[in-house]
Amino acid sequence: MNLAAVDLNLLVAFEALMEERNVTRAGQRIGLAQPSMSSALTRLRALFGDELFIRTAAGMQPTARALALARPIGEALAQIRATLAPDTGFDPATARRRLTIAVTDYGDLVVVPALVALLRQEAPGIDLIVRPIADPTASLAALERGDVDALIGGHLPDSARIVRHRLFEEDFVCIRDKAHAAPLTPDDYVRLPHALFSSAGGDGSPGVVDAILAMEGRKRRVAVTLAHVVAVPFAVAGTDLVATMARRIATRFAAFAGVALMPLPYDAPPFAIDLLHSRRATSDPALSWFLATIERVGRSL
């Protein structure tokens, strides 16, 4: 393809269509009237030899070709924006800014405290709003719209319109009252009553363990189901209950709650804690610094 013959504004139009899934809204995003945006879509289809976006009752749905193009085009435009952006001289020590993130229960308990401490040290003028991720799909949509600046947590959905960075991996441990600190055998694990955190989409949910048990023809009894992960160690303390939790959360509350940590007697794979943000973030010096700070926090945990 002769790049000299390609109007790079078409790629901007493609990005807007991918994010908005609506011709009118995409045009408004980049300052084009609806007829001009329709014309840009026609030219994009000719350029790539594909329909790219198909009109449906749910909006303009991308084709497989469009989905494949979304990431490289987004990354290319982000690099161009970063190159052309003026040097704003961003200084976190003096900057004033309000940033919003959405986090799972795990992110709230493990990542946010360390992030807040670092912001207070290095960027005291930055105000942070932390929202819960109650519905991961809705939170992803909010990120794509620009209503939040980043998502942090595990088991978050994917999208061609966002960038995902792995902060670190987490694994599972068992907790019991400190008076019952002997390691658990596989038979102990299915014999004892369990406490379970059940919030939809919450990190630390041991559903993977239930799948492992089912493969062996075994099943545990969940005697107590709790809506908040923080409640789990306190429910276990002073009882015969056992619970399966993310290691970093269990470690944080073990001494305070009076519980002991022990290995999970089954081989469960770890899960990832991720940072998600939009591709436009790289063109914002303050937001770029903030995302890099979150990654620094992840490396320290």
Side-chain angles (χ1 to χ4, degrees):
M1 181 179 292
N2 180 11
L3 288 179
V6 177
D7 182 355
L8 292 182
N9 287 320
L10 290 178
L11 303 186
V12 176
F14 174 88
E15 181 185 56
L17 283 164
M18 180 61 70
E19 292 178 351
E20 296 294 342
R21 311 290 173 93
N22 179 280
V23 172
T24 301
R25 289 200 304 270
Q28 291 171 345
R29 176 188 283 271
I30 62 175
L32 290 180
Q34 195 274 342
S36 298
M37 194 68 195
S38 296
S39 175
L41 176 55
T42 299
R43 295 170 63 195
L44 280 165
R45 287 166 168 165
L47 178 65
F48 291 107
D50 188 87
E51 281 294 295
L52 297 179
F53 298 93
I54 299 173
R55 192 179 305 278
T56 71
M60 301 291 287
Q61 295 303 307
T63 64
R65 173 68 167 150
L67 291 172
L69 288 168
R71 188 178 298 274
I73 287 178
E75 290 174 351
L77 290 176
Q79 290 181 2
I80 292 172
R81 290 185 181 110
T83 300
L84 298 179
D87 184 3
T88 60
F90 174 73
D91 180 4
T94 59
R96 297 298 301 268
R97 179 77 176 264
R98 175 173 290 184
L99 296 168
T100 301
I101 61 175
V103 299
T104 60
D105 297 78
Y106 182 99
D108 213 5
L109 291 169
V110 176
V111 180
V112 169
L115 175 60
V116 169
L118 197 55
L119 289 178
R120 298 312 303 158
Q121 292 174 8
E122 299 185 5
I126 290 183
D127 299 328
L128 181 65
I129 299 173
V130 181
R131 298 177 181 172
I133 296 179
D135 179 342
T137 301
S139 293
L140 182 65
L143 177 64
E144 292 172 338
R145 292 193 304 269
D147 294 341
V148 298
D149 297 303
L151 306 183
I152 300 173
H155 317 298
L156 297 176
D158 207 357
S159 167
R161 291 177 279 178
I162 59 94
V163 177
R164 179 186 297 265
H165 297 284
R166 178 164 297 185
L167 294 178
F168 53 87
E169 286 193 338
E170 180 60 284
D171 61 349
F172 295 113
V173 295
C174 291
I175 62 169
R176 292 198 70 192
D177 179 76
K178 61 183 179 182
H180 306 288
L184 294 168
T185 67
D187 287 340
D188 292 333
Y189 190 84
V190 295
R191 174 179 56 82
L192 291 166
H194 286 249
L196 175 67
F197 164 56
S198 67
S199 178
D203 299 304
S205 173
V208 63
V209 178
D210 293 307
I212 293 171
L213 292 175
M215 290 176 63
E216 298 188 5
R218 312 189 80 177
K219 186 177 181 180
R220 61 182 177 162
R221 174 195 167 204
V222 176
V224 180
T225 302
L226 299 160
H228 302 284
V229 69
V230 175
V232 174
F234 295 96
V236 167
T239 75
D240 61 342
L241 292 168
V242 61
T244 306
M245 299 186 70
R247 180 183 299 276
R248 288 175 176 84
I249 294 181
T251 301
R252 183 172 294 260
F253 289 99
F256 189 57
V259 297
L261 274 65
M262 57 200 65
L264 177 68
Y266 290 89
D267 187 17
F271 61 93
I273 301 300
D274 294 326
L275 164 67
L276 277 61
H277 64 82
S278 74
R279 300 186 184 284
R280 298 188 300 276
T282 55
S283 62
D284 182 332
L287 188 50
S288 293
W289 176 87
F290 177 65
L291 296 171
T293 300
I294 295 174
E295 294 194 72
R296 286 168 52 201
V297 168
R299 290 193 295 270
S300 72
L301 294 172

